[in-house]
Every structure is written in C-alpha cells, then in structure tokens.
Amino acid sequence: MHTVWKGSISFGLVNIPVKLHAATENKDIKLRQLHKECHTPISYKKVCEGCNQEVKDEDIVKAYEYTKNKFVVLDQDDLESLRKENEEKAVEIIDFVQLTEIDPIYFERTYFLSPDSTGAKAYSLLRKTLEQSGKIGIAKIIIRSKEQLAVVRVYQNALVMETIHYPDEVRSVGDVPNVPSEQDVVPKELETALMLVDQLTTTFNPEKYTDDYRNALLELIEEKKATNMVAMSDQQRPVPDNVTDLMTALQASLDKTKKPTTRKRTTRTKKNA
C-alpha cells in the first residue's frame, strides 16, 4: 500500500511513528477524448494568453491574485521552506471529543494509519485508549503543502485519520436558495411518511449498495470489445502545430529540390596553329 505521508503522532508525552495510506480509491471509469476524424488522443498544452506561446514547466511561477489582474508572485524557495518547516512538526492530538459532535458535512478524506517498525506498542496504546474512552482525537497535519484539520479514530482493528474542513470552508446554509421556512405539516401526511421510514429501516450493510451506472458502463465497454467495435489511433499521421509552420516546411523542401539553372555554353574558336 502506497505511503502518502510519514511522520509521527503524539498525545501527551506518547509519540507514535506512523505512515499514512489512502483508505479509499476512486473507481470512476476514466474516458479519454479522441479526435473524431482519426481517433488520436487529444492533448492539452499550457499556453500563455498574453504571448500566445506554449510555456514550459520551468517558466511557470505561482502567484496569488488579490484583485483582478493583480498578483503577488510567490517564490518557490519560500514555499518549499514554509512547507518543510511545518511538515517536520509531529502531528499532535490537541483535543478529544465525541464523534457524534462532528456533522458529516465536515469530513473530507480517510487515511489508514500504520505504525512504523518501532511504534507498534504506542500505536496499540492509542487504539485501546480511544476504544475504552469512546472518544476521537482532533489533530493538525500538513499534506501536500496544505495544513489539514483531522480526526484520529478507530476503524475495525486500525487507526484511521480523516481530514475535515475548517469552519470557514463550509458554506452557510443561509446562502442556499429557495429553502422553505417552517411550515405546518398535515398530520396524516407526516404519519404516513413515518410509517414508510419504519418499513424501510434496516441495519446498514455497505455491501448491499453498488454503483449501477459504473457496472452498466463496464458491461457496455466489454460488449463493444467482444463485437470488435473498437477504434484504432492513427498515430503516424503528421499533426502540424499550425499552418504557417507547415507552409514554411513545404517551401523549404521545394527550394531544396529545385534543379540548378543550366548555364549557356559558349563556343570558343580554335586558333589556327
């Protein structure tokens, strides 16, 4: 399992060397974009809008646009120094709370935590402590140059870390349009709705739910493969960058193949000896 982050977690004086691994994966079916005429994959280039030229990665800098078309350019060395300064800090659990106190809207992504070779005992201690207390830990961590708020909890037999949004990242419900105000509900309608909820109430079993659209799309792809309904990319076809370059190349080729002009031969009269 790929390691996303490596460091340590501490609570009080207990320090646990750990590795972070992504706990979930995106199984969306990725579809490529092809040129309809020749089925060649479409590529995207980084182009400067001002110069109308393709830009290399080494010629790109990062900046913050604080108002329209006005930027604060950030030096890469400063960003790297800031990132390293924060990443070297251990992840400290700063609070313990009840899981039920956090609304699911705050949760972002889940990671498995595994102990390093020397951290098994401390790992087990934190796991047992969370299980016995029924609490979860609140911590901060730097992942991919972003400081994340996170919770540490027990899932089955492992510790997991779930990144959560900061309060200012959750939009206000007041900004949602057309939310009706409190209205009187007809008692008979409410009674019927509650009966329906009772009938559909069950124990949550994640294996029961499947991605029907993804399964149907996979079946369609396999069916087309089986009936040989596939497209081949014509990679050999020349694709000029633009018309001007093509005309220049053609003209140069034409000039190169031109035959030299034949000079007129002059007749010399032999002198009589």
mmCIF file with all atom_site columns, all heavy atoms in Angstrom, residues 25-44:
data_model
loop_
_atom_site.group_PDB
_atom_site.id
_atom_site.type_symbol
_atom_site.label_atom_id
_atom_site.label_alt_id
_atom_site.label_comp_id
_atom_site.label_asym_id
_atom_site.label_entity_id
_atom_site.label_seq_id
_atom_site.pdbx_PDB_ins_code
_atom_site.Cartn_x
_atom_site.Cartn_y
_atom_site.Cartn_z
_atom_site.occupancy
_atom_site.B_iso_or_equiv
_atom_site.pdbx_formal_charge
_atom_site.auth_seq_id
_atom_site.auth_comp_id
_atom_site.auth_asym_id
_atom_site.auth_atom_id
_atom_site.pdbx_PDB_model_num
ATOM 1   N N   . GLU A 1 25 ? -10.433 4.625  -2.667  1.00 0.00 ? 25 GLU A N   1
ATOM 2   C CA  . GLU A 1 25 ? -9.956  4.846  -4.036  1.00 0.00 ? 25 GLU A CA  1
ATOM 3   C C   . GLU A 1 25 ? -11.127 5.193  -4.934  1.00 0.00 ? 25 GLU A C   1
ATOM 4   O O   . GLU A 1 25 ? -12.245 4.733  -4.735  1.00 0.00 ? 25 GLU A O   1
ATOM 5   C CB  . GLU A 1 25 ? -9.228  3.606  -4.578  1.00 0.00 ? 25 GLU A CB  1
ATOM 6   C CG  . GLU A 1 25 ? -10.050 2.335  -4.568  1.00 0.00 ? 25 GLU A CG  1
ATOM 7   C CD  . GLU A 1 25 ? -9.264  1.140  -5.078  1.00 0.00 ? 25 GLU A CD  1
ATOM 8   O OE1 . GLU A 1 25 ? -8.387  1.329  -5.933  1.00 0.00 ? 25 GLU A OE1 1
ATOM 9   O OE2 . GLU A 1 25 ? -9.532  0.013  -4.621  1.00 0.00 ? 25 GLU A OE2 1
ATOM 10  N N   . ASN A 1 26 ? -10.839 6.032  -5.920  1.00 0.00 ? 26 ASN A N   1
ATOM 11  C CA  . ASN A 1 26 ? -11.864 6.452  -6.867  1.00 0.00 ? 26 ASN A CA  1
ATOM 12  C C   . ASN A 1 26 ? -11.949 5.425  -7.990  1.00 0.00 ? 26 ASN A C   1
ATOM 13  O O   . ASN A 1 26 ? -10.975 5.196  -8.705  1.00 0.00 ? 26 ASN A O   1
ATOM 14  C CB  . ASN A 1 26 ? -11.501 7.834  -7.437  1.00 0.00 ? 26 ASN A CB  1
ATOM 15  C CG  . ASN A 1 26 ? -12.608 8.415  -8.281  1.00 0.00 ? 26 ASN A CG  1
ATOM 16  O OD1 . ASN A 1 26 ? -13.514 7.706  -8.711  1.00 0.00 ? 26 ASN A OD1 1
ATOM 17  N ND2 . ASN A 1 26 ? -12.552 9.709  -8.522  1.00 0.00 ? 26 ASN A ND2 1
ATOM 18  N N   . LYS A 1 27 ? -13.111 4.812  -8.153  1.00 0.00 ? 27 LYS A N   1
ATOM 19  C CA  . LYS A 1 27 ? -13.269 3.787  -9.176  1.00 0.00 ? 27 LYS A CA  1
ATOM 20  C C   . LYS A 1 27 ? -14.075 4.278  -10.372 1.00 0.00 ? 27 LYS A C   1
ATOM 21  O O   . LYS A 1 27 ? -14.631 3.479  -11.124 1.00 0.00 ? 27 LYS A O   1
ATOM 22  C CB  . LYS A 1 27 ? -13.918 2.541  -8.572  1.00 0.00 ? 27 LYS A CB  1
ATOM 23  C CG  . LYS A 1 27 ? -12.983 1.781  -7.638  1.00 0.00 ? 27 LYS A CG  1
ATOM 24  C CD  . LYS A 1 27 ? -13.384 0.334  -7.487  1.00 0.00 ? 27 LYS A CD  1
ATOM 25  C CE  . LYS A 1 27 ? -12.303 -0.457 -6.758  1.00 0.00 ? 27 LYS A CE  1
ATOM 26  N NZ  . LYS A 1 27 ? -12.634 -1.878 -6.637  1.00 0.00 ? 27 LYS A NZ  1
ATOM 27  N N   . ASP A 1 28 ? -14.144 5.597  -10.541 1.00 0.00 ? 28 ASP A N   1
ATOM 28  C CA  . ASP A 1 28 ? -14.815 6.141  -11.722 1.00 0.00 ? 28 ASP A CA  1
ATOM 29  C C   . ASP A 1 28 ? -14.098 5.649  -12.979 1.00 0.00 ? 28 ASP A C   1
ATOM 30  O O   . ASP A 1 28 ? -12.867 5.513  -12.999 1.00 0.00 ? 28 ASP A O   1
ATOM 31  C CB  . ASP A 1 28 ? -14.787 7.670  -11.710 1.00 0.00 ? 28 ASP A CB  1
ATOM 32  C CG  . ASP A 1 28 ? -15.773 8.249  -10.698 1.00 0.00 ? 28 ASP A CG  1
ATOM 33  O OD1 . ASP A 1 28 ? -16.585 7.462  -10.178 1.00 0.00 ? 28 ASP A OD1 1
ATOM 34  O OD2 . ASP A 1 28 ? -15.715 9.459  -10.445 1.00 0.00 ? 28 ASP A OD2 1
ATOM 35  N N   . ILE A 1 29 ? -14.858 5.387  -14.034 1.00 0.00 ? 29 ILE A N   1
ATOM 36  C CA  . ILE A 1 29 ? -14.270 4.950  -15.307 1.00 0.00 ? 29 ILE A CA  1
ATOM 37  C C   . ILE A 1 29 ? -13.821 6.187  -16.072 1.00 0.00 ? 29 ILE A C   1
ATOM 38  O O   . ILE A 1 29 ? -14.631 7.051  -16.402 1.00 0.00 ? 29 ILE A O   1
ATOM 39  C CB  . ILE A 1 29 ? -15.288 4.143  -16.128 1.00 0.00 ? 29 ILE A CB  1
ATOM 40  C CG1 . ILE A 1 29 ? -15.716 2.900  -15.337 1.00 0.00 ? 29 ILE A CG1 1
ATOM 41  C CG2 . ILE A 1 29 ? -14.719 3.754  -17.475 1.00 0.00 ? 29 ILE A CG2 1
ATOM 42  C CD1 . ILE A 1 29 ? -16.864 2.157  -15.947 1.00 0.00 ? 29 ILE A CD1 1
ATOM 43  N N   . LYS A 1 30 ? -12.515 6.271  -16.309 1.00 0.00 ? 30 LYS A N   1
ATOM 44  C CA  . LYS A 1 30 ? -11.981 7.446  -16.994 1.00 0.00 ? 30 LYS A CA  1
ATOM 45  C C   . LYS A 1 30 ? -12.095 7.265  -18.509 1.00 0.00 ? 30 LYS A C   1
ATOM 46  O O   . LYS A 1 30 ? -11.593 6.290  -19.056 1.00 0.00 ? 30 LYS A O   1
ATOM 47  C CB  . LYS A 1 30 ? -10.519 7.682  -16.597 1.00 0.00 ? 30 LYS A CB  1
ATOM 48  C CG  . LYS A 1 30 ? -10.359 8.028  -15.123 1.00 0.00 ? 30 LYS A CG  1
ATOM 49  C CD  . LYS A 1 30 ? -8.907  8.268  -14.759 1.00 0.00 ? 30 LYS A CD  1
ATOM 50  C CE  . LYS A 1 30 ? -8.770  8.620  -13.284 1.00 0.00 ? 30 LYS A CE  1
ATOM 51  N NZ  . LYS A 1 30 ? -7.357  8.835  -12.888 1.00 0.00 ? 30 LYS A NZ  1
ATOM 52  N N   . LEU A 1 31 ? -12.744 8.214  -19.159 1.00 0.00 ? 31 LEU A N   1
ATOM 53  C CA  . LEU A 1 31 ? -12.908 8.173  -20.610 1.00 0.00 ? 31 LEU A CA  1
ATOM 54  C C   . LEU A 1 31 ? -11.972 9.195  -21.249 1.00 0.00 ? 31 LEU A C   1
ATOM 55  O O   . LEU A 1 31 ? -11.899 10.337 -20.822 1.00 0.00 ? 31 LEU A O   1
ATOM 56  C CB  . LEU A 1 31 ? -14.366 8.490  -20.996 1.00 0.00 ? 31 LEU A CB  1
ATOM 57  C CG  . LEU A 1 31 ? -15.429 7.553  -20.405 1.00 0.00 ? 31 LEU A CG  1
ATOM 58  C CD1 . LEU A 1 31 ? -16.818 8.003  -20.823 1.00 0.00 ? 31 LEU A CD1 1
ATOM 59  C CD2 . LEU A 1 31 ? -15.192 6.119  -20.855 1.00 0.00 ? 31 LEU A CD2 1
ATOM 60  N N   . ARG A 1 32 ? -11.220 8.755  -22.256 1.00 0.00 ? 32 ARG A N   1
ATOM 61  C CA  . ARG A 1 32 ? -10.317 9.656  -22.989 1.00 0.00 ? 32 ARG A CA  1
ATOM 62  C C   . ARG A 1 32 ? -11.074 10.410 -24.068 1.00 0.00 ? 32 ARG A C   1
ATOM 63  O O   . ARG A 1 32 ? -12.072 9.930  -24.598 1.00 0.00 ? 32 ARG A O   1
ATOM 64  C CB  . ARG A 1 32 ? -9.190  8.843  -23.654 1.00 0.00 ? 32 ARG A CB  1
ATOM 65  C CG  . ARG A 1 32 ? -8.219  8.189  -22.704 1.00 0.00 ? 32 ARG A CG  1
ATOM 66  C CD  . ARG A 1 32 ? -7.344  9.203  -21.981 1.00 0.00 ? 32 ARG A CD  1
ATOM 67  N NE  . ARG A 1 32 ? -6.632  10.090 -22.882 1.00 0.00 ? 32 ARG A NE  1
ATOM 68  C CZ  . ARG A 1 32 ? -5.445  9.817  -23.442 1.00 0.00 ? 32 ARG A CZ  1
ATOM 69  N NH1 . ARG A 1 32 ? -4.844  8.670  -23.169 1.00 0.00 ? 32 ARG A NH1 1
ATOM 70  N NH2 . ARG A 1 32 ? -4.855  10.685 -24.247 1.00 0.00 ? 32 ARG A NH2 1
ATOM 71  N N   . GLN A 1 33 ? -10.564 11.581 -24.421 1.00 0.00 ? 33 GLN A N   1
ATOM 72  C CA  . GLN A 1 33 ? -11.126 12.353 -25.531 1.00 0.00 ? 33 GLN A CA  1
ATOM 73  C C   . GLN A 1 33 ? -10.266 12.120 -26.767 1.00 0.00 ? 33 GLN A C   1
ATOM 74  O O   . GLN A 1 33 ? -9.045  12.265 -26.720 1.00 0.00 ? 33 GLN A O   1
ATOM 75  C CB  . GLN A 1 33 ? -11.178 13.841 -25.188 1.00 0.00 ? 33 GLN A CB  1
ATOM 76  C CG  . GLN A 1 33 ? -12.190 14.169 -24.101 1.00 0.00 ? 33 GLN A CG  1
ATOM 77  C CD  . GLN A 1 33 ? -12.317 15.660 -23.862 1.00 0.00 ? 33 GLN A CD  1
ATOM 78  O OE1 . GLN A 1 33 ? -11.334 16.380 -23.970 1.00 0.00 ? 33 GLN A OE1 1
ATOM 79  N NE2 . GLN A 1 33 ? -13.513 16.117 -23.547 1.00 0.00 ? 33 GLN A NE2 1
ATOM 80  N N   . LEU A 1 34 ? -10.920 11.741 -27.883 1.00 0.00 ? 34 LEU A N   1
ATOM 81  C CA  . LEU A 1 34 ? -10.223 11.467 -29.139 1.00 0.00 ? 34 LEU A CA  1
ATOM 82  C C   . LEU A 1 34 ? -10.699 12.420 -30.226 1.00 0.00 ? 34 LEU A C   1
ATOM 83  O O   . LEU A 1 34 ? -11.815 12.926 -30.180 1.00 0.00 ? 34 LEU A O   1
ATOM 84  C CB  . LEU A 1 34 ? -10.478 10.026 -29.599 1.00 0.00 ? 34 LEU A CB  1
ATOM 85  C CG  . LEU A 1 34 ? -10.199 8.876  -28.621 1.00 0.00 ? 34 LEU A CG  1
ATOM 86  C CD1 . LEU A 1 34 ? -10.517 7.550  -29.293 1.00 0.00 ? 34 LEU A CD1 1
ATOM 87  C CD2 . LEU A 1 34 ? -8.755  8.902  -28.145 1.00 0.00 ? 34 LEU A CD2 1
ATOM 88  N N   . HIS A 1 35 ? -9.816  12.624 -31.213 1.00 0.00 ? 35 HIS A N   1
ATOM 89  C CA  . HIS A 1 35 ? -10.215 13.366 -32.400 1.00 0.00 ? 35 HIS A CA  1
ATOM 90  C C   . HIS A 1 35 ? -11.180 12.485 -33.199 1.00 0.00 ? 35 HIS A C   1
ATOM 91  O O   . HIS A 1 35 ? -10.851 11.345 -33.536 1.00 0.00 ? 35 HIS A O   1
ATOM 92  C CB  . HIS A 1 35 ? -8.976  13.708 -33.233 1.00 0.00 ? 35 HIS A CB  1
ATOM 93  C CG  . HIS A 1 35 ? -9.279  14.552 -34.428 1.00 0.00 ? 35 HIS A CG  1
ATOM 94  N ND1 . HIS A 1 35 ? -8.407  14.699 -35.477 1.00 0.00 ? 35 HIS A ND1 1
ATOM 95  C CD2 . HIS A 1 35 ? -10.364 15.305 -34.740 1.00 0.00 ? 35 HIS A CD2 1
ATOM 96  C CE1 . HIS A 1 35 ? -8.944  15.494 -36.394 1.00 0.00 ? 35 HIS A CE1 1
ATOM 97  N NE2 . HIS A 1 35 ? -10.129 15.871 -35.959 1.00 0.00 ? 35 HIS A NE2 1
ATOM 98  N N   . LYS A 1 36 ? -12.362 12.999 -33.485 1.00 0.00 ? 36 LYS A N   1
ATOM 99  C CA  . LYS A 1 36 ? -13.398 12.195 -34.139 1.00 0.00 ? 36 LYS A CA  1
ATOM 100 C C   . LYS A 1 36 ? -12.926 11.648 -35.484 1.00 0.00 ? 36 LYS A C   1
ATOM 101 O O   . LYS A 1 36 ? -13.269 10.535 -35.882 1.00 0.00 ? 36 LYS A O   1
ATOM 102 C CB  . LYS A 1 36 ? -14.656 13.058 -34.337 1.00 0.00 ? 36 LYS A CB  1
ATOM 103 C CG  . LYS A 1 36 ? -15.853 12.295 -34.876 1.00 0.00 ? 36 LYS A CG  1
ATOM 104 C CD  . LYS A 1 36 ? -17.068 13.210 -34.973 1.00 0.00 ? 36 LYS A CD  1
ATOM 105 C CE  . LYS A 1 36 ? -18.281 12.460 -35.511 1.00 0.00 ? 36 LYS A CE  1
ATOM 106 N NZ  . LYS A 1 36 ? -19.462 13.348 -35.613 1.00 0.00 ? 36 LYS A NZ  1
ATOM 107 N N   . GLU A 1 37 ? -12.079 12.412 -36.205 1.00 0.00 ? 37 GLU A N   1
ATOM 108 C CA  . GLU A 1 37 ? -11.666 12.024 -37.558 1.00 0.00 ? 37 GLU A CA  1
ATOM 109 C C   . GLU A 1 37 ? -10.682 10.855 -37.573 1.00 0.00 ? 37 GLU A C   1
ATOM 110 O O   . GLU A 1 37 ? -10.827 9.917  -38.357 1.00 0.00 ? 37 GLU A O   1
ATOM 111 C CB  . GLU A 1 37 ? -11.036 13.238 -38.269 1.00 0.00 ? 37 GLU A CB  1
ATOM 112 C CG  . GLU A 1 37 ? -10.633 12.959 -39.701 1.00 0.00 ? 37 GLU A CG  1
ATOM 113 C CD  . GLU A 1 37 ? -10.017 14.177 -40.362 1.00 0.00 ? 37 GLU A CD  1
ATOM 114 O OE1 . GLU A 1 37 ? -10.341 15.313 -39.955 1.00 0.00 ? 37 GLU A OE1 1
ATOM 115 O OE2 . GLU A 1 37 ? -9.202  13.988 -41.288 1.00 0.00 ? 37 GLU A OE2 1
ATOM 116 N N   . CYS A 1 38 ? -9.665  10.902 -36.676 1.00 0.00 ? 38 CYS A N   1
ATOM 117 C CA  . CYS A 1 38 ? -8.605  9.886  -36.741 1.00 0.00 ? 38 CYS A CA  1
ATOM 118 C C   . CYS A 1 38 ? -8.427  9.105  -35.439 1.00 0.00 ? 38 CYS A C   1
ATOM 119 O O   . CYS A 1 38 ? -7.541  8.270  -35.342 1.00 0.00 ? 38 CYS A O   1
ATOM 120 C CB  . CYS A 1 38 ? -7.280  10.533 -37.147 1.00 0.00 ? 38 CYS A CB  1
ATOM 121 S SG  . CYS A 1 38 ? -6.682  11.714 -35.921 1.00 0.00 ? 38 CYS A SG  1
ATOM 122 N N   . HIS A 1 39 ? -9.247  9.409  -34.425 1.00 0.00 ? 39 HIS A N   1
ATOM 123 C CA  . HIS A 1 39 ? -9.209  8.710  -33.138 1.00 0.00 ? 39 HIS A CA  1
ATOM 124 C C   . HIS A 1 39 ? -7.872  8.838  -32.408 1.00 0.00 ? 39 HIS A C   1
ATOM 125 O O   . HIS A 1 39 ? -7.458  7.940  -31.689 1.00 0.00 ? 39 HIS A O   1
ATOM 126 C CB  . HIS A 1 39 ? -9.566  7.226  -33.311 1.00 0.00 ? 39 HIS A CB  1
ATOM 127 C CG  . HIS A 1 39 ? -10.968 7.017  -33.775 1.00 0.00 ? 39 HIS A CG  1
ATOM 128 N ND1 . HIS A 1 39 ? -11.286 6.254  -34.862 1.00 0.00 ? 39 HIS A ND1 1
ATOM 129 C CD2 . HIS A 1 39 ? -12.148 7.525  -33.314 1.00 0.00 ? 39 HIS A CD2 1
ATOM 130 C CE1 . HIS A 1 39 ? -12.592 6.274  -35.050 1.00 0.00 ? 39 HIS A CE1 1
ATOM 131 N NE2 . HIS A 1 39 ? -13.147 7.035  -34.124 1.00 0.00 ? 39 HIS A NE2 1
ATOM 132 N N   . THR A 1 40 ? -7.183  9.963  -32.625 1.00 0.00 ? 40 THR A N   1
ATOM 133 C CA  . THR A 1 40 ? -5.944  10.233 -31.890 1.00 0.00 ? 40 THR A CA  1
ATOM 134 C C   . THR A 1 40 ? -6.288  10.957 -30.591 1.00 0.00 ? 40 THR A C   1
ATOM 135 O O   . THR A 1 40 ? -7.105  11.871 -30.605 1.00 0.00 ? 40 THR A O   1
ATOM 136 C CB  . THR A 1 40 ? -4.991  11.113 -32.733 1.00 0.00 ? 40 THR A CB  1
ATOM 137 O OG1 . THR A 1 40 ? -4.692  10.426 -33.954 1.00 0.00 ? 40 THR A OG1 1
ATOM 138 C CG2 . THR A 1 40 ? -3.697  11.397 -31.983 1.00 0.00 ? 40 THR A CG2 1
ATOM 139 N N   . PRO A 1 41 ? -5.688  10.561 -29.442 1.00 0.00 ? 41 PRO A N   1
ATOM 140 C CA  . PRO A 1 41 ? -5.991  11.239 -28.177 1.00 0.00 ? 41 PRO A CA  1
ATOM 141 C C   . PRO A 1 41 ? -5.688  12.739 -28.229 1.00 0.00 ? 41 PRO A C   1
ATOM 142 O O   . PRO A 1 41 ? -4.702  13.164 -28.831 1.00 0.00 ? 41 PRO A O   1
ATOM 143 C CB  . PRO A 1 41 ? -5.065  10.537 -27.177 1.00 0.00 ? 41 PRO A CB  1
ATOM 144 C CG  . PRO A 1 41 ? -4.822  9.191  -27.775 1.00 0.00 ? 41 PRO A CG  1
ATOM 145 C CD  . PRO A 1 41 ? -4.789  9.404  -29.260 1.00 0.00 ? 41 PRO A CD  1
ATOM 146 N N   . ILE A 1 42 ? -6.562  13.515 -27.602 1.00 0.00 ? 42 ILE A N   1
ATOM 147 C CA  . ILE A 1 42 ? -6.404  14.962 -27.556 1.00 0.00 ? 42 ILE A CA  1
ATOM 148 C C   . ILE A 1 42 ? -5.472  15.314 -26.403 1.00 0.00 ? 42 ILE A C   1
ATOM 149 O O   . ILE A 1 42 ? -5.637  14.827 -25.289 1.00 0.00 ? 42 ILE A O   1
ATOM 150 C CB  . ILE A 1 42 ? -7.770  15.667 -27.351 1.00 0.00 ? 42 ILE A CB  1
ATOM 151 C CG1 . ILE A 1 42 ? -8.745  15.284 -28.475 1.00 0.00 ? 42 ILE A CG1 1
ATOM 152 C CG2 . ILE A 1 42 ? -7.599  17.179 -27.268 1.00 0.00 ? 42 ILE A CG2 1
ATOM 153 C CD1 . ILE A 1 42 ? -8.317  15.706 -29.849 1.00 0.00 ? 42 ILE A CD1 1
ATOM 154 N N   . SER A 1 43 ? -4.492  16.168 -26.666 1.00 0.00 ? 43 SER A N   1
ATOM 155 C CA  . SER A 1 43 ? -3.577  16.604 -25.608 1.00 0.00 ? 43 SER A CA  1
ATOM 156 C C   . SER A 1 43 ? -3.840  18.076 -25.297 1.00 0.00 ? 43 SER A C   1
ATOM 157 O O   . SER A 1 43 ? -4.377  18.812 -26.118 1.00 0.00 ? 43 SER A O   1
ATOM 158 C CB  . SER A 1 43 ? -2.121  16.414 -26.046 1.00 0.00 ? 43 SER A CB  1
ATOM 159 O OG  . SER A 1 43 ? -1.848  17.200 -27.187 1.00 0.00 ? 43 SER A OG  1
ATOM 160 N N   . TYR A 1 44 ? -3.448  18.472 -24.091 1.00 0.00 ? 44 TYR A N   1
ATOM 161 C CA  . TYR A 1 44 ? -3.654  19.850 -23.668 1.00 0.00 ? 44 TYR A CA  1
ATOM 162 C C   . TYR A 1 44 ? -2.309  20.486 -23.361 1.00 0.00 ? 44 TYR A C   1
ATOM 163 O O   . TYR A 1 44 ? -1.482  19.895 -22.686 1.00 0.00 ? 44 TYR A O   1
ATOM 164 C CB  . TYR A 1 44 ? -4.560  19.885 -22.435 1.00 0.00 ? 44 TYR A CB  1
ATOM 165 C CG  . TYR A 1 44 ? -5.949  19.371 -22.736 1.00 0.00 ? 44 TYR A CG  1
ATOM 166 C CD1 . TYR A 1 44 ? -6.254  18.024 -22.573 1.00 0.00 ? 44 TYR A CD1 1
ATOM 167 C CD2 . TYR A 1 44 ? -6.937  20.220 -23.207 1.00 0.00 ? 44 TYR A CD2 1
ATOM 168 C CE1 . TYR A 1 44 ? -7.517  17.534 -22.865 1.00 0.00 ? 44 TYR A CE1 1
ATOM 169 C CE2 . TYR A 1 44 ? -8.205  19.739 -23.509 1.00 0.00 ? 44 TYR A CE2 1
ATOM 170 C CZ  . TYR A 1 44 ? -8.493  18.397 -23.326 1.00 0.00 ? 44 TYR A CZ  1
ATOM 171 O OH  . TYR A 1 44 ? -9.737  17.923 -23.631 1.00 0.00 ? 44 TYR A OH  1
#
